[in-house]
Amino acid sequence: MSDALRDRIRAGETVIGTFIKTPAVQLVEILGRAGLDFAVADQEHAPIGISDMDLLSLAARATGLPLLSRRWGASTDWIAPLLDLGLTGVMVPHVADRARTDAVCAAVKFAHGARGISSSPRAGNYGGMGLTEYRDHSDRTSVTMVQIEDASALDQLDQIAAHPDVDVLFIGPADLSQSLGVGFPSAELDAAIQRVIDAGSKAGVAVGLFVGDETQGHLDFSLNSSERTRSAA
């Protein structure tokens, strides 16, 4: 079930998901029925709006599929409305330093005191949960994936990974290669990816990587199986 994703990640399980590029509820239903571990609605690179997310969330919850959203923007204002709809969590692009990490986590977790709270949306069972129950449940189960895809982030990895609310350092290899000015693929990109893996291993934080096929899983994830969280497109 969707509530278990964060527990599974933090327990060291390998979880495999995919990106959704089309706002079709049937796709979400199929992915849920197929037993996929999670899916990410790609609001960054696909025409998926808030009304679409309402229906995609409904389909995901009906099949027990943990659904996250990825959406670009300097602000974090988009995060709370999506979690209110019942999403399991968010994947935030271009998190390159601790200040951005703090802002993202404050937008996800009620405990930081910045996220507005109401149990009236779907995530609070339309008022069926009391505020305390809803707050505690949301903070316990919401998943925070921060994307590492900037050259400047590589020197900030320890600080980013040290935030207790970060569940996954998710590598964006295409943007990372562009930021580094290297080929995709290339030995230089592999070395940068390995730096993220090593930082995750050191901090005990899972690392995720976009892979186009299984042959791209050649980097050293063997340091600790608990550091593996993969997403296949």
Side-chain angles (χ1 to χ4, degrees):
M1 297 297 290
S2 60
D3 287 352
L5 179 63
R6 188 168 188 255
D7 289 339
R8 293 181 62 194
I9 291 171
R10 292 204 161 221
E13 292 188 38
T14 297
V15 295
I16 300 176
T18 192
F19 287 96
I20 296 171
K21 302 286 187 173
T22 304
V25 295
Q26 295 85 355
L27 291 179
V28 174
E29 286 185 296
I30 291 169
L31 293 173
R33 297 294 183 190
L36 203 67
D37 294 316
F38 70 96
V40 181
D42 194 358
Q43 293 187 277
E44 182 185 15
H45 295 299
I48 304 176
I50 187 70
S51 295
D52 299 317
M53 291 303 303
D54 186 29
L55 297 178
L56 295 182
S57 176
L58 186 64
R61 288 166 70 90
T63 56
L65 174 69
L67 181 66
L68 293 83
S69 171
R70 177 174 72 173
R71 175 176 158 179
W72 167 245
S75 170
T76 58
D77 292 347
W78 59 274
I79 293 175
L82 293 175
L83 296 178
D84 283 350
L85 290 178
L87 267 66
T88 300
V90 291
M91 177 185 289
V92 183
H94 297 285
V95 176
D97 55 36
R98 179 56 185 253
R100 178 65 171 164
T101 306
D102 291 345
V104 168
C105 292
V108 173
K109 304 294 186 181
F110 289 117
H112 297 286
R115 179 184 167 191
I117 185 168
S118 171
S119 62
S120 61
R122 178 182 294 126
N125 291 339
Y126 299 106
M129 287 184 176
L131 282 181
T132 300
E133 179 187 6
Y134 173 48
R135 180 193 65 208
D136 293 347
H137 178 267
S138 180
D139 281 2
R140 186 177 67 253
T141 60
S142 294
V143 174
T144 306
M145 299 188 182
V146 296
Q147 286 203 264
I148 307 300
E149 45 192 358
D150 300 275
S152 61
L154 297 177
D155 291 329
Q156 305 295 321
L157 290 171
D158 289 345
Q159 290 78 11
I160 295 170
H163 197 296
D165 292 331
V166 169
D167 298 303
V168 180
L169 303 174
F170 196 97
I171 303 162
D175 279 355
L176 184 56
S177 68
Q178 176 175 259
S179 181
L180 289 166
V182 302
F184 178 52
S186 66
E188 295 87 353
L189 177 60
D190 284 355
I193 290 172
Q194 191 64 53
R195 288 181 64 181
V196 184
I197 296 170
D198 292 346
S201 179
K202 177 182 175 182
V205 176
V207 173
L209 175 66
F210 174 86
V211 294
D213 59 66
E214 63 183 9
T215 65
Q216 293 178 306
H218 64 282
L219 290 159
D220 184 12
F221 281 94
S222 64
L223 293 170
N224 187 330
S225 61
S226 69
E227 315 312 334
R228 299 185 65 187
T229 301
R230 296 184 297 169
S231 174

